[in-house]
């Protein structure tokens, strides 16, 4: 087992789980009638129960300090944080459930601290209810292939990576003996699956969530988080032109040499885009947190997908601990605030009304502008240090855990309250000062902050929107408990909510309502609180030295980390998925073969390639590996050769061209078949992982697991994933490449990352373009093609 907890601590944790389930069962029983009649019900406050295994000691207590925050939904404010002359929109208190509209089903406890176990946290799904979780009990369990099925699939993906006849012979020998050598391990794994099936969960999920994420000590930024580039809000173009004419100059890139970066102003496009994004986030939050969002489905038969990850979207945060992190989830019926970051300062801002609908967009604009204005006045030493605290979340997890403990020790109850306020926010909206123009510039900022904005992030939060002063918008997701697919629907909703439509909607809806029109006046503000102002203001000078030293070290390590990254964005305008489908190929399989050809030419050989495939057909399923290397892909790339063919005359030989097209079709079909089987739970890599984890030491491992080709095949020098919104992420091995790509109908986007010292990203970007053009030349020999770059 992967947990290092003692038997005694496990017993205590099990007792706590039993108590938690009893509490939940009692709660559900007492409110069953209302649950059946309404998808969501009234909110109420509750005590916090912290569940954390720390050396056999369990802490389970109601926190008196917390009641001061959670007994009412307003965020405490002071004259220094909200101003004096503005109208302040305050949320009604929730000390009485009768005074609150029935929106969400309240949780029996206000905070759940998860150790990464989907099954342990699944009782929340029954509480939340609604269509989102209505199919969970119908989902099948994740299967375990037979050892023969796995070895047959594996061999085709591994043979092309053998570098000598001796390696081929050794691989074939180890594969032949594998079913017998793995027999006992397979029995153990099947026993684990049976137990997990009885517990209504996946045999893999706890291992994957903990070992794959929460126990990883590397920094979250670069190594764990992923990002999207959202499309421009076209309704802001006219406003942008007007702004440029008023300013009399073009907005400059944040990377210009003179660094003349415009800050947010009263007519900033960033403020407007940020306010529109808050409205969209609020609307989607209500769907998710009430359970009224329809279940994701796929295929012609609308096969339902697992919804377990959705409860980790809003009001959640990863928490650093020594050796293994946890993930806190806060009851959304209690909290109505999001976090807004500007210039490294973090603010809690109400963005919802009592019915958990978004505040008017004018009010949200006022709030964001007020935050920008307040930041300019944070010039005291302690407050200047407080605007750097976000950089602590960028470091090694054990280091950040120690630094967080120091903050709590030195900052006392005020710091505890501040961190809880930040962690319980629905998400983070990062208002950056930069004005990036190119996709490369945007991608770097969304990926890690590009050094200029790293302190303006809280990398532990499950979701962050990064909004630039010129209106560009990106999304960053913390990957521990939620993969990218649930965020796709959210980003799609954000794109639909353009500024002009929202502005017109609120003006038309509120024009005849005098009370609301007053609240939406130019002076109306939501509740706003500077999160760390009080806590940092109370730290004495001697203790502040400890915090200052930690910040200096974290900033240095962050700078070194970022300096070692390279990113290249490839906007291929030659064609997209429509053309590929008309040519009779699977778009994903076709592009994967382009990536195989490009990487073959970069590395001078094929390398282990990972394409993430979802297995959400199954309860608590996340991903499986689709291996893009195969005997079919090997034949294709070798036929194409190491040299880029840039002229039609080089592909003119009819017989050679038809052979290459035949090999291309076989390779794409082979890839599509692997992808289909992986989605059905019949990939090989999760099975190999399970077998290795039930082994009692290396002596029980099959000889295959020590084979050099086997090891090489699992070194993912090419890590790939396709999603909408031009996704990006870091490489998974030091000498590897990360490729996130989006296939649009008429173009393809590729975000390519690597370590700076290897300089793979730029050349691979060019090789991908060349491969796509060359593959089209094969299909359209008589039609000249020119790059549209």
């Amino acid at each position: 087992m992967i947990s290092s907890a003692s038997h005694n601590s496990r017993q205590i944790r099990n007792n706590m789980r039993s108590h938690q389930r009893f509490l939940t069962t009692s709660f559900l029983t007492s409110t069953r009638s209302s649950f059946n009649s309404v998808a969501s019900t009234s909110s109420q406050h509750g005590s916090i129960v912290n569940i954390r295994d720390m050396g056999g000691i369990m802490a389970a207590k109601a926190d008196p300090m917390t009641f001061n925050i959670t007994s009412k939904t307003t965020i405490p404010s002071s004259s220094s944080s909200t101003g004096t002359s503005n109208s302040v929109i305050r949320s009604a208190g929730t000390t009485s459930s009768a005074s609150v509209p029935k929106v969400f089903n309240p949780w029996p406890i206000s905070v759940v601290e998860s150790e990464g176990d989907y099954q342990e946290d699944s009782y929340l799904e029954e509480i939340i209810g609604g269509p989102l979780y209505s199919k969970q009990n119908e989902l099948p369990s994740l299967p375990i292939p037979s050892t023969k099925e796995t070895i047959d699939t594996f061999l085709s993906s591994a043979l092309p990576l053998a570098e000598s006849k001796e390696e081929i012979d050794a691989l074939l020998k180890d594969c032949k003996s594998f079913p017998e050598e793995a027999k006992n391990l397979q029995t153990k794994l099947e026993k684990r699956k049976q137990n997990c099936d009885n517990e209504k969960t996946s045999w893999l999920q706890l291992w994957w969530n903990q070992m794959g994420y929460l126990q990883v000590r590397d920094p979250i930024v670069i190594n764990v988080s992923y990002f999207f580039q959202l499309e421009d809000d076209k309704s802001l173009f006219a406003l942008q032109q007007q702004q440029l004419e008023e300013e009399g100059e073009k907005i400059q890139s944040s990377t210009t040499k003179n660094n003349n970066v415009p800050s947010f102003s009263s007519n900033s496009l960033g403020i407007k885009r940020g306010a529109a994004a808050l409205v969209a986030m609020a609307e989607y939050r209500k769907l998710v947190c009430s359970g009224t969002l329809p279940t994701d489905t796929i295929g012609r038969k609308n096969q339902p997908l697992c919804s377990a990850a959705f409860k980790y979207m809003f009001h959640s945060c990863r928490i650093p601990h020594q050796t293994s992190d946890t993930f806190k989830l806060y009851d959304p019926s209690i909290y109505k605030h999001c976090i807004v970051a500007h210039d490294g300062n973090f603010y809690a801002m109400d963005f919802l009304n009592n019915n958990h609908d978004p505040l008017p967009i004018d009010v949200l604009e006022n709030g964001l502008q007020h935050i920008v204005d307040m930041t300019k006045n944070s010039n005291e030493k302690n407050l200047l240090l407080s605007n750097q605290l976000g950089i602590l979340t960028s470091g090694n997890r054990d280091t950040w855990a120690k630094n967080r403990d120091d903050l709590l020790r030195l900052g006392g109850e005020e710091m505890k309250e501040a961190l809880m306020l930040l962690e319980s926010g629905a998400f983070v909206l990062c208002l950056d000062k930069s004005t990036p123009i190119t996709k490369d510039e945007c991608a770097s900022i969304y990926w890690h902050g590009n050094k200029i904005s790293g302190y303006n992030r809280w990398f532990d939060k499950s979701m962050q929107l990064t909004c630039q002063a010129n209106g560009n918008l990106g999304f960053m997701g913390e990957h521990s408990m939620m993969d990218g697919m649930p965020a796709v629907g959210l980003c799609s909703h954000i794109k639909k909510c353009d500024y002009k439509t929202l502005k017109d909607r609120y003006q038309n809806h509120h024009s005849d309502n005098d009370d609301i029109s007053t609240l939406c006046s130019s002076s109306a503000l939501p509740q706003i609180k500077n999160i760390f102002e009080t806590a940092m203001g109370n730290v004495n000078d001697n203790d502040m030295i400890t915090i200052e030293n930690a910040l200096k070290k974290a900033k240095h390590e962050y700078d070194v980390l970022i300096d070692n990254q390279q990113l290249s964005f490839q906007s291929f305008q030659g064609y997209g998925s429509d053309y590929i489908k008309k040519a009779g190929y699977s778009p994903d399989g076709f592009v994967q073969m382009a990536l195989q050809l490009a990487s073959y030419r970069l590395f001078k050989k094929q390398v282990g390639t990972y394409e993430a495939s979802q297995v959400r057909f199954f309860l608590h399923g996340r991903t499986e590996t689709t291996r893009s290397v195969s005997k079919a892909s090997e034949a294709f790339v070798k036929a194409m050769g190491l040299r880029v063919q840039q002229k039609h005359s080089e592909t003119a030989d009819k017989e050679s061209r038809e052979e290459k097209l035949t090999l291309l079709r076989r390779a794409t079909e082979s890839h599509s078949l692997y992808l289909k089987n992986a989605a059905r739970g019949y990939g090989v890599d999760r099975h190999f992982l399970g077998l290795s984890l039930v082994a009692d030491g290396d002596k029980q491992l099959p000889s295959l697991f020590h084979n050099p080709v086997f090891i090489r095949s699992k070194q993912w020098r090419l890590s790939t994933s396709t999603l909408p919104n031009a996704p990006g992420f870091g490489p998974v091995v030091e000498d590897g490449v990360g490729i996130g790509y989006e296939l649009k109908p008429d173009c393809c986007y590729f975000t390519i990352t690597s370590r700076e010292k290897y300089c793979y990203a730029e050349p691979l970007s060019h090789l991908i373009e060349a491969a796509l053009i060359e593959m089209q030349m094969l299909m359209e020999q008589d039609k000249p093609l020119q790059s549209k770059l």
Side-chain angles (χ1 to χ4, degrees), residues 14 30 246 280 284 320 427 496 546:
N14 289 336
S30 65
E246 291 174 354
Y284 206 78
F427 52 87
K496 293 176 183 177
T546 300

Side-chain angles (χ1 to χ4, degrees), residues 345-356:
N345 294 275
F346 293 89
Y347 299 87
M349 185 179 88
D350 275 0
F351 72 118
L352 304 165
N353 62 22
N354 284 340
N355 200 44
H356 292 266

Side-chain angles (χ1 to χ4, degrees), residues 748-769:
C748 305
Y749 294 149
F750 300 88
T751 305
I752 305 139
T753 62
S754 70
R755 301 293 186 245
E756 178 67 31
K757 64 181 178 180
Y758 293 103
C759 294
Y760 289 148
E762 285 289 347
L764 185 57
S765 176
H766 294 296
L767 289 170
I768 290 171
E769 179 192 22

Side-chain angles (χ1 to χ4, degrees), residues 161 591-603 605-612 625-629 633 637 671 712-721 729-741 750-754 760-761 764-765 767-768:
L161 303 178
V591 170
Q592 279 289 326
M593 291 310 106
L595 298 182
Q596 282 299 297
L597 179 56
S599 61
Y600 175 68
R601 289 169 171 171
L602 176 69
F603 297 119
K605 60 182 180 180
Q606 283 190 286
V607 296
T609 306
Y610 176 117
E611 181 185 6
T625 299
T626 291
R627 294 183 168 218
S628 302
V629 174
S633 70
V637 299
H671 183 82
R712 191 179 303 138
S713 77
K714 294 177 69 65
Q715 294 294 311
W716 308 118
R717 297 191 67 188
L718 212 63
S719 176
T720 74
S721 183
F729 48 87
V732 299
V733 296
E734 189 66 15
D735 60 345
V737 179
I739 305 178
Y741 59 100
F750 300 88
T751 305
I752 305 139
T753 62
S754 70
Y760 289 148
L764 185 57
S765 176
L767 289 170
I768 290 171

Side-chain angles (χ1 to χ4, degrees), residues 642-659:
L642 291 171
R643 187 173 66 88
V644 175
Q645 299 178 20
Q646 298 178 329
K647 299 179 180 179
H648 283 269
S649 60
E650 297 180 286
T651 59
D653 181 79
K654 182 177 180 181
E655 183 176 344
S656 173
R657 186 168 65 90
E658 289 180 351
E659 178 188 2

Side-chain angles (χ1 to χ4, degrees), residues 146-195:
S146 69
T147 53
K148 184 180 185 307
E149 289 171 318
T150 289
I151 212 64
D152 289 345
T153 303
F154 162 77
L155 192 56
S156 175
S157 71
L159 280 172
L161 303 178
E163 297 178 352
S164 67
K165 185 179 184 303
E166 289 75 18
E167 284 194 342
I168 293 176
D169 292 341
L171 180 65
L172 292 172
K173 178 182 177 182
D174 290 339
C175 286
K176 183 176 181 180
S177 63
F178 178 78
E180 182 61 30
E181 291 179 357
K183 184 176 181 180
N184 291 336
L185 298 181
Q186 179 78 356
T187 300
K188 284 185 179 182
L189 190 59
E190 289 173 348
K191 178 65 174 177
R192 175 184 173 87
K193 180 185 183 306
Q194 182 180 353
N195 293 336

Side-chain angles (χ1 to χ4, degrees), residues 260-281:
N260 183 19
V261 181
S263 59
F264 283 87
S265 59
S266 59
N267 63 345
S268 167
L269 295 178
I271 293 292
K272 300 181 189 304
R273 186 76 192 272
L278 290 180
V279 173
M281 293 289 278

